Amino acid sequence: GPDTTAPIIVTTNLLNNMPIAYEQKSVNLEAYTNEPASCKWSKVNQDYDSMENEMSCSSSVFEMNAQMLYKCSTTLTGLKDREKNNFYFRCKDKPTATEDRNEMSESYEFSLIGTEPLILDWVKPNETIRDSTDIVEVTLEAHTSAGYDKGKSNCYFSETDENKDYTLFLETNSYEHSQKLNLAEGDYEYFIKCVDLGGNADTKKVSFSVETDNNAPMIVRIYKE
């Protein structure tokens, strides 16, 4: 029978209402429809023909993905920091036809959350750690603020500042972060990097020394009054 239903945007490759990094002005987006279609987007909720931005859409049955959906790609621009960026999408089916095309009557709404820079407020320790054992327990600590969700982030530590060498803190994904280390006597330097869900990051360096004293005290003098 005749096709009388408009296409449906089933999903996107990015999560709706996800945060983006501070000063990020554009982002690549893929939307997936249930049938071949031509799609547009706008920052204003309006009909298909009035929307300003064309999307690049697959139209052949051979271009379906494993979920039997058709991909439409675009770059969303004009993103603003510290506010919610709203976008509206509409599609028409039968992309090769010139008439009798079914158009979405309501827009597919999609939002991205603009953020502010993540701040790594402080890191510890910055002092000499002393104990009476050969191996001393030392706790790396960090505190974050701003960014997305008031500083909620994941923190990592590294001795080299190389991306491949960073290790996730055991206690993180919050505003306060800690990692216990068992260290021998010596001087140490660690790089601390924290990253929030929007991709904002901040790095600081912490330096400290570990001293051990496992010798019992000695009596060196005795006085008689």
Side-chain angles (χ1 to χ4, degrees), residues 145-156:
S145 61
Y148 172 69
D149 196 10
K150 301 178 182 179
K152 184 177 181 181
S153 56
N154 283 314
C155 288
Y156 305 79

Side-chain angles (χ1 to χ4, degrees), residues 9 12 29-32 37-41 48 52-58 71-76 88-91:
I9 296 178
T12 56
L29 178 79
E30 295 175 359
Y32 294 88
S38 56
C39 299
K40 292 183 177 182
W41 66 268
Y48 174 89
E52 310 89 352
N53 304 283
E54 296 271 358
M55 302 179 70
S56 175
C57 298
S58 57
K71 181 176 72 175
C72 286
S73 305
T74 191
T75 300
L76 302 179
Y88 301 91
F89 298 83
R90 293 204 187 196
C91 303

Side-chain angles (χ1 to χ4, degrees), residues 9 14-15 74 103-104 129 135 137 146 161 175 196 215:
I9 296 178
L14 302 179
L15 292 176
T74 191
E103 176 185 338
M104 292 171 58
I129 312 299
I135 301 298
E137 184 178 277
D161 198 25
Y175 320 104
D196 67 13
N215 294 317

Side-chain angles (χ1 to χ4, degrees), residues 101-112:
R101 302 181 64 189
N102 300 299
E103 176 185 338
M104 292 171 58
S105 59
E106 294 184 4
S107 296
Y108 180 89
E109 298 184 24
F110 183 82
S111 300
L112 295 171

Side-chain angles (χ1 to χ4, degrees), residues 120-177:
L120 182 48
D121 300 305
W122 50 258
V123 293
K124 295 179 181 179
N126 291 294
E127 57 190 12
T128 299
I129 312 299
R130 297 179 175 88
D131 207 336
S132 59
T133 59
D134 291 334
I135 301 298
V136 177
E137 184 178 277
V138 178
T139 302
L140 297 179
E141 296 180 82
H143 188 278
T144 50
S145 61
Y148 172 69
D149 196 10
K150 301 178 182 179
K152 184 177 181 181
S153 56
N154 283 314
C155 288
Y156 305 79
F157 67 98
S158 167
E159 296 183 72
T160 64
D161 198 25
E162 297 288 337
N163 285 331
K164 62 182 178 62
D165 295 332
Y166 274 98
T167 302
L168 182 68
F169 274 39
L170 283 176
E171 296 183 24
T172 187
N173 194 29
S174 181
Y175 320 104
E176 297 179 350
H177 319 266

Side-chain angles (χ1 to χ4, degrees), residues 17-30:
N17 291 309
M18 71 171 287
I20 54 174
Y22 177 70
E23 292 189 339
Q24 184 173 353
K25 301 304 181 185
S26 63
V27 65
N28 294 327
L29 178 79
E30 295 175 359

